[in-house]
């Protein structure tokens, strides 16, 4: 029996979809990282019950923070992007969290939206010095929750030669999973996914295609991405990811969001290239409800899968949509900007090595 709803949500379901492809299907994936992070911070005395935790979110991190704070006796304030819809705002309200929704940034897209939200967090901390910034973009305390998830994969599938596929937002999910899976087997491969327009892996010069895939791109520097974790990077636009969502639902019954649709496309591509290969596990961070109007229009026609495939590139200058891929080979990478992470003078602990 679970002791709380948050505890239940922190554990995904591992589902065999056939053909050697498996999905780790989360209801709210960020609960996995937030709950373990907050418990750790409480146990180390970095935060205390009753304190307000604050962060920026494009959706499920804010929901997760509110849920975990409700469970563990803390308060939450969320600086929410325009992607945070009425369903999430309703849950924030009833969970006792407060939020500030930042309006659309127009043509500046992902960078301006995230930068604005983080600057608002800085202002909030100046006005509320007792509040604690969770720094989901920077503090790899958020890695901790994925250790149990990785152990589930190892127990069920073994680990030698497993390929992990998933989006790279803050890096905490695929980066953490790669760390814990490789502790069991160095042969684990990781394919990371980015939208065009994201600066984490060099696609900031490629224009967004009109719809940001919330949660897997970056407009500012994220310090908790372990670039050396990734063997391959795939950049996909909205059309490829949305087609993946529809194909995933129609062929497996899994109703999931855009990052899962993108991961399904990449997983199928890897399996087609390696029909007799080792197991593939991809991450599905949340259900598809928030994407219904854009991805699964109820009144729209059922469309055939366009059978997208990636173009292989060797340099960022070759990058173009709708889908391209590059051998990353676990190399380091440096991203800089003019917005340093906020670090309180006291209480901030070293990041996990």
């Amino acid at each position: 029996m679970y002791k709380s709803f948050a505890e239940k949500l922190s554990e995904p379901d591992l589902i065999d979809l056939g053909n050697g492809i498996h999905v780790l299907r989360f209801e709210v994936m960020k609960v996995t990282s937030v709950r373990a992070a907050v418990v750790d911070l409480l146990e180390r005395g970095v935060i205390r019950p009753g304190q307000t935790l604050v962060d920026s979110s494009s959706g499920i991190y804010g929901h997760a923070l509110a849920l975990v704070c409700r469970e563990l006796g803390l308060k939450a304030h969320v600086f929410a992007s325009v992607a945070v819809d009425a369903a999430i705002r309703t849950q924030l309200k009833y969970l006792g969290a407060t939020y500030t929704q930042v309006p659309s940034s127009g043509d500046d897209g992902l960078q301006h939206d995230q930068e604005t939200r983080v600057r608002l967090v800085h202002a909030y901390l100046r006005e509320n010095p007792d509040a604690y910034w969770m720094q989901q973009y920077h503090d790899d305390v958020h890695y901790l929750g994925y250790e149990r998830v990785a152990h589930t994969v190892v127990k069920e599938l073994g680990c030698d030669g497993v390929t992990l596929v998933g989006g790279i937002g803050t890096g905490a999910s695929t980066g953490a999973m790669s760390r814990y899976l490789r502790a069991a087997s160095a042969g684990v491969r990781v394919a990371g996914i980015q939208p065009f327009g994201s600066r984490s892996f060099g696609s900031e010069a490629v224009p967004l295609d009109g719809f940001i895939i919330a949660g897997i791109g970056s407009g500012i520097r994220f310090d908790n991405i372990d670039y050396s974790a990734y063997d391959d990077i795939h950049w996909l636009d909205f059309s490829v990811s949305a087609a993946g969502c529809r194909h995933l639902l129609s062929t497996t019954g899994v109703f999931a969001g855009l990052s899962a649709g993108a991961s399904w496309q990449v997983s199928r591509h890897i399996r087609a290239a390696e029909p007799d290969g080792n197991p593939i596990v991809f991450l599905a961070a949340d259900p598809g409800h928030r994407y219904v109007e854009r991805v699964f229009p109820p009144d729209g026609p059922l469309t055939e899968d366009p059978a997208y495939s990636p173009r292989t590139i060797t340099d960022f200058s070759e990058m173009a949509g709708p889908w391209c891929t590059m051998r990353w080979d676990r190399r380091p990478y440096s991203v800089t900007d003019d917005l340093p992470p906020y670090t309180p003078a006291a209480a901030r602990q070293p990041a996990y090595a």
Side-chain angles (χ1 to χ4, degrees):
M1 180 184 297
Y2 295 103
K3 295 179 180 178
S4 70
F5 188 51
E7 182 184 23
K8 168 63 181 77
L9 292 185
S10 70
E11 297 186 6
D13 299 306
L14 180 62
I15 305 169
D16 184 351
L17 300 181
N19 202 25
I21 301 177
H22 306 76
V23 60
L24 275 167
R25 193 268 185 188
F26 295 81
E27 189 73 23
V28 185
M29 185 175 72
K30 295 292 187 179
V31 174
T32 302
S33 58
V34 173
R35 190 171 188 273
V38 172
V39 167
D40 178 76
L41 293 169
L42 283 168
E43 289 178 347
R44 289 191 285 126
V46 178
I47 60 175
R48 66 182 187 281
Q51 198 167 3
T52 297
L53 308 186
V54 59
D55 216 332
S56 161
S57 174
S58 59
I60 60 176
Y61 186 93
H63 176 203
L65 186 62
L67 192 67
V68 170
C69 285
R70 171 67 179 80
E71 176 195 10
L72 299 178
L74 296 117
K75 301 173 185 176
H77 186 80
V78 177
F79 286 91
S81 82
V82 69
V84 175
D85 61 16
I88 294 178
R89 294 195 303 269
T90 298
Q91 291 177 86
L92 294 178
K93 173 184 175 181
Y94 280 90
L95 288 167
T98 54
Y99 65 89
T100 301
Q101 188 152 32
V102 180
S104 174
S105 54
D107 293 339
D108 288 331
L110 187 61
Q111 178 177 357
H112 188 271
D113 178 67
Q114 287 179 328
E115 183 177 279
T116 298
R117 284 187 273 131
V118 173
R119 290 192 184 280
L120 288 171
V121 171
H122 286 205
Y124 183 90
L125 292 167
R126 287 193 295 269
E127 296 173 2
N128 301 273
D130 189 53
Y132 184 88
W133 184 11
M134 286 296 295
Q135 293 206 74
Q136 67 150 324
Y137 301 147
H138 304 303
D139 193 342
D140 55 2
V141 69
H142 293 88
Y143 276 35
L144 295 174
Y146 293 99
E147 184 172 16
R148 290 180 62 183
V149 180
H151 288 171
T152 297
V153 173
V154 173
K155 178 181 177 182
E156 296 292 335
L157 301 177
C159 202
D160 290 334
V162 165
T163 296
L164 177 71
V165 179
I168 311 166
T170 64
S173 56
T174 48
M177 287 287 292
S178 69
R179 177 182 297 178
Y180 296 123
L181 289 173
R182 285 174 179 152
S185 172
V188 172
R189 294 167 52 195
V190 182
I193 295 171
Q194 285 275 277
F196 293 106
S198 172
R199 71 185 307 168
S200 289
F201 286 81
S203 70
E204 63 266 31
V206 181
L208 290 167
D209 60 345
F211 190 89
I212 295 172
I213 302 175
I216 69 168
S218 62
I220 59 175
R221 186 185 76 243
F222 287 178
D223 287 339
N224 64 1
I225 295 177
D226 178 3
Y227 290 94
S228 65
Y230 300 93
D231 297 283
D232 301 279
I233 301 296
H234 290 257
W235 294 266
L236 291 82
D237 72 10
F238 170 79
S239 63
V240 181
S241 303
C245 289
R246 293 188 292 267
H247 186 270
L248 178 63
L249 176 58
S250 64
T251 59
T252 72
V254 176
F255 181 50
L258 281 166
S259 64
S263 298
W264 175 240
Q265 296 281 43
V266 172
S267 298
R268 292 167 62 215
H269 166 71
I270 294 171
R271 178 52 71 231
E274 304 170 1
D276 299 317
N278 291 306
I280 298 167
V281 178
F282 74 92
L283 306 180
D286 61 346
H289 301 94
R290 65 195 293 208
Y291 307 101
V292 164
E293 294 301 322
R294 291 295 301 269
V295 177
F296 310 96
D299 299 326
L302 290 173
T303 56
E304 294 295 323
D305 176 22
Y308 291 104
S309 61
R311 183 168 65 92
T312 300
I313 64 173
T314 58
D315 188 84
F316 290 153
S317 64
E318 303 169 21
M319 194 178 296
W323 179 2
C324 60
T325 184
M326 177 190 289
R327 285 291 302 166
W328 193 259
D329 290 326
R330 306 189 190 184
R331 59 189 169 95
Y333 188 62
S334 177
V335 177
T336 60
D337 58 34
D338 297 326
L339 191 68
Y342 175 88
T343 304
R348 173 60 64 192
Q349 300 295 315
Y352 283 78

